[in-house]
């Protein structure tokens, strides 16, 4: 059983930065793919960024097009954390952000992720 807890959300202005963190506890694996999703009321949960294991101490990252160049996902296996650095935030980035875990490679589908955090609210004002 893996528990994920997000933190770092808040209210910022357009153009500002935020750093989200996800702390994992329980049975965690360095080879798992970790990802961030986001969701707004009335919409489906949307993939934002993922980081997947390739080899020992080697990972690759992948992003949805709308955040490419602005968001950076990273992980610290020693601390069992996954971070999302968000720069140049836009009002359309406003959402609840969720951390998730899967063993399905570079999946972007929420249906493939089997562990979820409770979410953290990010609000970007114009």
């Amino acid at each position: 059983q893996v528990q994920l807890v997000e933190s770092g959300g808040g209210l910022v202005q357009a153009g500002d930065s935020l750093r989200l963190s996800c702390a994992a506890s329980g049975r965690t694996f360095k080879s798992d793919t970790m990802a961030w999703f986001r969701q707004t009321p009335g919409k489906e949960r949307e993939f934002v960024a993922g980081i997947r294991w390739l080899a020992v101490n080697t990972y690759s990252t992948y992003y949805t097009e709308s955040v490419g160049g602005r968001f950076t996902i990273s992980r610290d296996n020693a601390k069992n954390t996954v971070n999302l650095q968000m720069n140049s935030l836009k009002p359309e980035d406003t959402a609840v952000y969720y951390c998730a875990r899967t063993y399905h490679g570079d999946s972007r589908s929420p249906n493939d992720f089997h562990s979820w955090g409770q979410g953290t609210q990010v609000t970007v004002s114009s």
Side-chain angles (χ1 to χ4, degrees), residues 61-109:
T61 58
Y62 54 109
Y63 302 89
T64 190
E65 186 174 352
S66 64
V67 307
R70 298 189 298 122
F71 291 11
T72 303
I73 188 171
S74 61
R75 65 194 293 164
D76 185 336
N77 290 331
K79 297 180 179 180
N80 280 337
T81 58
V82 179
N83 302 306
L84 185 67
Q85 178 66 42
M86 306 186 294
N87 299 328
S88 301
L89 283 162
K90 304 175 180 180
E92 51 263 43
D93 294 319
T94 295
V96 176
Y97 283 71
Y98 297 90
C99 175
R101 165 182 170 261
T102 184
Y103 43 73
H104 290 295
D106 58 357
S107 174
R108 297 169 184 250
S109 171

Side-chain angles (χ1 to χ4, degrees), residues 4 6 10 29 31 38 46 52-53 76 78-79 86 90-91 100-101 103 108 111 114 118-120 125:
L4 303 175
E6 302 95 336
F29 299 94
S31 60
R38 65 188 180 188
E46 172 193 26
R52 63 169 296 196
W53 181 86
D76 185 336
K79 297 180 179 180
M86 306 186 294
K90 304 175 180 180
R101 165 182 170 261
Y103 43 73
R108 297 169 184 250
N111 294 331
H114 44 81
Q118 82 290 348
T120 185
S125 63

Side-chain angles (χ1 to χ4, degrees), residues 5 15 21 35 40 90:
V5 179
S21 291
T40 55
K90 304 175 180 180

